[in-house]
Amino acid sequence: MKKIVMITGATAGFGEATAHEFAKNGYDLIITGRRVDRLNALSETLARSYGAEVFILNFDVRNNTQTQKSIYNLPAKWQNIDVLVNNAGLASGFGPVQDGNIEDWDKMIDTNVKGLLYVTRCVAPMMIKNKKGHIINIGSTAGKEAYLNGNVYCATKFAVDALTKSMRIDMLPHGIRVTSVCPGMAETEFSLVRFHGDSDKAKNVYKGLEPLSAKDIADVIYFVASRPANVNIADIVVTPLAQANTSNILRKE
Ligand code: NDP
Ligand code: 8X3
């Protein structure tokens, strides 16, 4: 029987690239997100290119009722999830806390922290029942070090870091692996979303440097998932060569 990976936020960026990586390596996939047209297109591509079976779940991770309904109603075969990639997330806004937009804050906290928890709350008991599994949370360098104007986004990723450490303790008696993958600057739709669709501001983030690609991170996610069963990679931080940490970034003129 083929292994099953569930990837939240598979309609773009890391999630989409990770879906390709796992499908290429023989997994069947549960792909989730809000943009169902993209999920349908990705499902067709994965089936055609790699012969993968794909199950689509179209829900908003901020909505616990939708999340529970989607996951609990998975057909029995699809509840046999080997790897959960908690990837859905975003930054919304960039500025000092005193000018912060409450809607942006709620969006980030509800998606990056509560959404990750809602999904995990549904999937972890399935893994415990099946006596196997691997939860991979997508953190960030922003969850290791705060940076100027990052405040609430950084706080959500610090929360992911704490949750990953806690989950590893909770899952210990059940033989379930828990990992965080923490990327630095990667050019996906992330900055476009952060700057509310302003493509000039989004492009400017990566000016003068070669950022990570979604594929760079998908490779790392597959790597941690494909270690021997006795190996758990706890935490992995990946930056572009031009980024030493969240604030020291080398840009060419
Ligand atoms: P993208 O914007 O390219 O992709 C984000 C994905 O998350 C989309 O598939 C989107 O799907 C999904 N998503 C967002 N909100 C929700 C929601 N409420 N419910 C369901 N799905 C949602 O960004 P990235 O691929 O770059 O980001 C993926 C993860 O990586 C995020 O957690 C981000 O914080 C993190 N990260 C990104 C870095 C970067 O520099 N790019 C660096 C470090 C971490 P849809 O809109 O269809 O729902
Ligand atoms: C996203 C990367 O550098 O914008 O987590 O925080 S960064």
Side-chain angles (χ1 to χ4, degrees):
M1 203 166 108
K2 283 167 86 174
K3 286 190 176 175
I4 295 174
V5 62
M6 173 169 166
I7 303 166
T8 67
T11 59
F14 299 157
E16 184 181 3
T18 302
H20 278 270
E21 205 52 37
F22 277 80
K24 193 168 76 189
N25 283 286
Y27 275 71
D28 287 333
L29 301 96
I30 301 167
I31 53 173
T32 92
R34 292 166 300 176
R35 288 169 289 184
V36 75
D37 49 330
R38 290 196 183 197
L39 292 173
N40 286 328
L42 179 61
S43 168
E44 278 170 31
T45 304
L46 297 174
R48 193 180 54 248
S49 308
Y50 314 105
E53 258 194 82
V54 182
F55 200 95
I56 289 174
L57 291 181
N58 178 212
F59 66 94
D60 185 327
V61 296
R62 292 173 295 179
N63 183 323
N64 191 37
T65 309
Q66 276 183 25
T67 303
Q68 287 186 339
K69 207 169 139 197
S70 304
I71 299 175
Y72 291 151
N73 285 323
L74 278 168
K77 162 195 152 148
W78 288 99
Q79 296 199 12
N80 204 26
I81 297 166
D82 294 280
V83 181
L84 166 65
V85 184
N86 270 322
N87 165 74
L90 79 168
S92 194
F94 186 78
V97 79
Q98 62 272 25
D99 299 335
N101 176 302
I102 307 294
E103 265 180 44
D104 281 339
W105 292 359
D106 286 345
K107 219 184 271 177
M108 290 186 277
I109 293 166
D110 290 350
T111 309
N112 301 357
V113 183
K114 292 167 72 180
L116 180 146
L117 281 168
Y118 293 160
V119 170
T120 305
R121 180 65 185 84
C122 293
V123 175
M126 293 174 178
M127 289 181 165
I128 290 170
K129 188 165 157 248
N130 298 334
K131 298 188 171 57
K132 59 164 185 164
H134 190 169
I135 299 171
I136 302 174
N137 294 329
I138 306 306
S140 172
T141 47
K144 304 291 183 186
E145 256 182 318
Y147 58 79
L148 183 69
N149 294 328
N151 44 66
V152 176
Y153 179 68
C154 294
T156 65
K157 290 299 182 178
F158 270 79
V160 171
D161 195 54
L163 285 170
T164 306
K165 288 172 177 151
S166 290
M167 283 181 197
R168 203 157 33 245
I169 301 166
D170 299 336
M171 294 301 130
L172 182 63
H174 304 290
I176 289 160
R177 301 197 277 196
V178 182
T179 299
S180 56
V181 172
C182 300
M185 300 167 80
E187 195 162 10
T188 58
E189 293 177 14
F190 176 85
S191 291
L192 197 62
V193 172
R194 168 170 251 172
F195 293 110
H196 306 125
D198 185 328
S199 53
D200 289 338
K201 278 191 181 165
K203 274 205 182 79
N204 214 29
V205 172
Y206 311 106
K207 204 171 165 193
L209 63 89
E210 187 181 346
L212 298 169
S213 68
K215 168 87 166 69
D216 292 329
I217 294 305
D219 286 347
V220 173
I221 295 170
Y222 184 73
F223 174 79
V224 303
S226 56
R227 294 309 84 212
N230 65 316
V231 176
N232 184 63
I233 296 182
D235 190 15
I236 187 159
V237 178
V238 189
T239 64
L241 182 59
Q243 183 182 22
N245 56 32
T246 52
S247 309
N248 292 79
I249 296 155
L250 185 69
R251 294 181 196 271
K252 292 193 181 119
E253 289 308 305

